[in-house]
Amino acid sequence: MGLIDLHCHLLPGVDDGSKDLDMSLGMARVAVQQGISHIVLTPHHMDGTYVNHKADVLAKTTAFQTALEAAEIPLTVFAGQEVHLTGDLMKALDADDILFLDANEHYLLLELPHSGVPAYTREMIFALQTRGIVPVIAHPERNHGFQTDPDKLYDFMQMGCLTQLTASSYVGVFGDSVEKLTAKIINAGMGVTFASDAHNFKGRRFLMADAFAKLADQAGAETAARFKNNAKAIINGDDIALPSFKRLSAVKKKRRFWLF
Ligand SMILES: [Fe+2]
């Protein structure tokens, strides 16, 4: 088994990711080159621009798997959604219109608004947890709310949320500050797994091999192995034991102490 990618916009023509089947097959070849063998297809859902109903994503994923096989691309795909945090989320769950990262419906890829962390996020996380759902927060390093107050991420992890850091964030695609924040989250023990969030060939693309090489170099082979195993645990719906993690502010203080 190669790498597992829990978040990408590879499904053709459904959101701001791949435009058509040709592009999707081209991107799929890049994914294979990056060592990826399994991908959860996670089109945007309920983000104010895109709605991708569960039944549609299931049907389109089956069709895309057939196209991959016809093109002899060795990639297994699963149906998922990047679920936006919205007041309508509970209604969508009741209507069985939500896809999870695993067949047990345990792990939910949750996207917060990029502009910040809404005041009702904590209540919503509690509401999800009472249903036995574990939110996996998509790319917190790219969210303005966590960028300005990273301790909010610590609070959500204390509540039981997990994090999905984006591979391209860690290797600098979104600039220096996002790259540094990704590294800080990892150093604080709050990184759980990488995913590509690939949308195209340039910019937001598959950089999983690059990110894992950097992770092994900067944080050690054990951490890299843990990130890979966590992706497998999530897709299988298995429990994840997290190492101890700290507030980012606590990590900073320790460094200052050693400098002086
Ligand atoms: Fe995404």
Side-chain angles (χ1 to χ4, degrees), residues 7 9 42 44 82 111 139 197 199 204:
H7 178 175
H9 300 268
T42 53
H44 294 289
E82 179 173 10
E111 181 192 47
H139 40 64
D197 193 13
H199 280 66
R204 288 192 280 177

Side-chain angles (χ1 to χ4, degrees), residues 67-206:
L68 286 168
E69 281 158 25
E72 297 183 354
I73 299 169
L75 202 57
T76 303
V77 291
F78 302 96
Q81 288 164 332
E82 179 173 10
V83 179
H84 201 81
L85 184 78
T86 144
D88 291 333
L89 179 51
M90 295 304 148
K91 256 189 267 169
L93 281 163
D94 289 338
D96 190 23
D97 197 23
I98 294 297
L99 282 158
F100 292 75
L101 292 171
D102 61 300
N104 297 341
E105 305 200 336
H106 189 47
Y107 294 110
L108 179 81
L109 183 65
L110 185 66
E111 181 192 47
L112 273 54
H114 281 275
S115 54
V117 178
Y120 66 87
T121 305
R122 173 177 280 269
E123 280 162 56
M124 190 68 90
I125 289 170
F126 270 128
L128 291 170
Q129 288 174 324
T130 58
R131 293 173 176 245
I133 296 168
V134 175
V136 178
I137 299 173
H139 40 64
E141 76 281 1
R142 298 190 51 219
N143 178 284
H144 290 298
F146 295 126
Q147 286 166 352
T148 50
D149 183 6
D151 284 345
K152 275 187 184 145
L153 184 61
Y154 174 88
D155 294 340
F156 293 152
M157 286 202 68
Q158 283 284 24
M159 290 172 70
C161 293
L162 302 180
T163 57
Q164 170 263 301
L165 305 176
T166 293
S168 51
S169 297
Y170 190 46
V171 296
V173 169
F174 301 104
D176 225 29
S177 64
V178 171
E179 182 179 355
K180 280 184 183 148
L181 179 58
T182 313
K184 280 183 191 168
I185 290 170
I186 293 168
N187 291 340
M190 291 195 287
V192 175
T193 193
F194 277 143
S196 75
D197 193 13
H199 280 66
N200 47 47
F201 294 106
K202 288 181 182 173
R204 288 192 280 177
R205 60 198 191 275
F206 294 102

